[in-house]
Every structure is written in structure tokens, then in C-alpha cells.
Amino acid sequence: MTIKKIKYHRVYEDVIEQIENLILKGNLAPGDVLPTERELAQAFGISRGTLREAFRILEREGLIETRPGGGRFLNKNLNEAEDKKRIMENIERATIIELLEAREIFEIGIVELAAERATDQDIREIEIAFEKWGKIDRDSDDPVNPDQAFHLSIAKATHNVVLVNLIDLHIDLLQKTLVKTVEIPGRKNEVYKEHYNIMQAIKEKNPLKAKEALLHHLHEVKQNILLNRVESNG
């Protein structure tokens, strides 16, 4: 009997994907007006609040625009040839930036608790995961790759099953962040050092140092994502 792991799912991502496909297939052209919120919410079978979450991402990336009293439109300034290539990248970056905001909130607590509660065995598990991270292979078929194992080992050191599950649910998105950043020349070595500093702070049982190391890491990730965005669009 084969059982597949259930992955964390956000409804508004499906909305974004469907709207994105309408654009890519040419069913929506630059300047076209979108159906009303009521119509779209009914068509998707979702709440208008969830629909607005999707619109917020699409608006942030300049794919759609809202006109007061005039509804929402596909941005008429979009260049069709260019945007068919970069729409997915734009949306992916927007969701990654939101992920980084969420990570700053919940991972601070995780590294602080890990620094307070980690046993010798926990620290050994973190070290093993870190050593594997140094030999990371992004093309590996291993369902739990080294970067994922590193994050999970820290979460497990909190001895809080809710926090472990929280990291586990976001593993795919964490991996998406890694792939986007290690592609940048020299970034993999920087990330290695940033992970090392987080691990060292936990080994030293220093919650404040662990928090500062994590915040530095997330700041660098965000800056590199934004820098890569500017360069790719420049």
C-alpha cells in the first residue's frame, strides 16, 4: 500500500495559477477587464476574501490593476512576448517574499526555543544535517533533502510537535526559496555560513544570538531575491 504525503495547500494559490493560465493561453489580453469579484468568487467556489488575497499578489507584481469604481483589468502595458516568459517568475517571487515575512515571525521562536531546549542528541542531529547541507544536491531524488533536514532538525530541537509540523508543512516553500537563492553566483557559500552561524548559536545555548543569526539570514535571502528580480527585469 502506497500512501503519499499530504502537502500544505493554500486556496488562493490555485486562483493565481488559473488566472495566470488564462493569461498565458491568451484568454485574457492586456487591457481586458476581469469579471466582478462576485462572479469570480462564485466561479472558483471560494470566498471573496480568498479571491482578494490572490488579487493582492497579482497587483503587487503589476499583472493586474484596480481602478476605483471601474473594476480590475489585466495591465495594458504588459508586453505579451515578454510576460509569457516572466509571469510565473513574478508570481513566484511575490509568494516567496510573503513566505519570508511569515518565516521571520515563526522561525524566530523556533531558533530561540531550540537554543534553550536542545539536548546533546538534538545538537548532533543538527550538525549531521548541516554537514549534509554542505554537500547539497538540488537534483537529488531524496524526499527529505539536506536543506529540509537542517530546518527540521532545528524544529525538532524545540521539542514542540506543533512547531515541527509547522516547518514540515512549509518544506516545499522553503525549498523554493533555496532554489531561487543558490542560483545566484557566490550565494551558496554565503548561505552555508549563515546556516553555520544559526547552528553555532544553538550549540552555545544563546537564544538572542540565534535570533540575530536567523534575522541576518532572512534579510540576506530577501535582498538577493529582490536584487535578482531587478537584474532579470533590467
Side-chain angles (χ1 to χ4, degrees):
M1 180 173 65
T2 302
I3 298 177
K4 292 184 177 180
K5 185 176 179 180
I6 297 174
K7 295 183 178 180
Y8 179 65
H9 184 72
R10 294 187 293 189
V11 177
Y12 75 82
E13 290 181 337
D14 281 346
V15 178
I16 292 173
E17 182 179 354
Q18 289 196 52
I19 292 176
E20 168 196 321
N21 286 333
L22 289 174
I23 297 170
L24 293 174
K25 292 176 181 177
N27 294 320
L28 280 174
D32 280 357
V33 63
L34 298 179
T36 65
E37 275 190 9
R38 184 187 299 276
E39 291 170 334
L40 282 174
Q42 289 177 346
F44 286 127
I46 59 174
S47 70
R48 292 171 74 171
T50 299
L51 182 63
R52 285 171 188 152
E53 286 185 71
F55 280 146
R56 182 165 51 82
I57 299 259
L58 293 166
E59 287 174 357
R60 174 185 289 184
E61 290 308 307
L63 298 175
I64 65 173
E65 57 179 312
T66 301
R67 301 175 189 171
R72 292 183 174 89
F73 295 76
L74 186 61
N75 193 328
K76 65 172 134 185
N77 295 321
L78 294 178
N79 178 286
E80 184 176 355
E82 177 187 353
D83 287 310
K84 285 191 175 181
K85 181 180 179 182
R86 69 181 174 86
I87 279 175
M88 285 188 66
E89 290 183 358
N90 285 346
I91 292 174
E92 193 172 61
R93 283 193 189 95
T95 56
I96 287 175
I97 294 300
E98 293 212 337
L99 169 65
L100 290 173
E101 291 175 354
R103 285 182 63 184
E104 184 172 322
I105 293 171
F106 65 77
E107 285 196 56
I108 284 175
I110 288 174
V111 296
E112 287 180 327
L113 274 181
E116 293 174 2
R117 299 178 177 178
T119 64
D120 290 342
Q121 181 59 36
D122 292 329
I123 291 173
R124 182 59 190 147
E125 291 297 324
I126 294 172
E127 288 177 326
I128 291 171
F130 178 74
E131 288 167 7
K132 289 181 179 178
W133 194 95
K135 304 171 184 177
I136 192 166
D137 178 5
R138 286 185 287 145
D139 298 321
S140 172
D141 292 327
D142 185 353
V144 181
N145 70 35
D147 188 63
Q148 295 172 343
F150 180 73
H151 287 286
L152 279 172
S153 66
I154 292 175
K156 288 175 182 177
T158 67
H159 296 274
N160 182 312
V161 69
V162 175
L163 294 177
V164 174
N165 287 333
L166 187 61
I167 288 292
D168 198 30
L169 285 171
H170 289 82
I171 280 297
D172 289 340
L173 289 173
L174 290 170
Q175 182 62 17
K176 197 178 284 188
T177 308
L178 173 70
V179 170
K180 277 294 180 184
T181 54
V182 295
E183 290 173 348
I184 300 170
R187 181 59 190 150
K188 181 181 174 182
N189 289 335
E190 292 174 354
V191 175
Y192 181 85
K193 292 175 184 176
E194 290 159 17
H195 279 57
Y196 174 82
N197 290 336
I198 294 170
M199 178 184 70
Q200 282 298 112
I202 293 172
K203 289 175 65 175
E204 294 170 14
K205 305 285 188 180
N206 190 326
L208 179 58
K209 190 173 178 180
K211 173 184 175 180
E212 290 173 346
L214 174 70
L215 286 175
H216 173 72
H217 170 59
L218 294 180
H219 173 77
E220 292 301 308
V221 172
K222 185 174 182 178
Q223 289 301 112
N224 277 277
I225 290 290
L226 292 174
L227 177 62
N228 188 43
R229 174 183 175 183
V230 170
E231 291 178 345
S232 63
N233 289 339

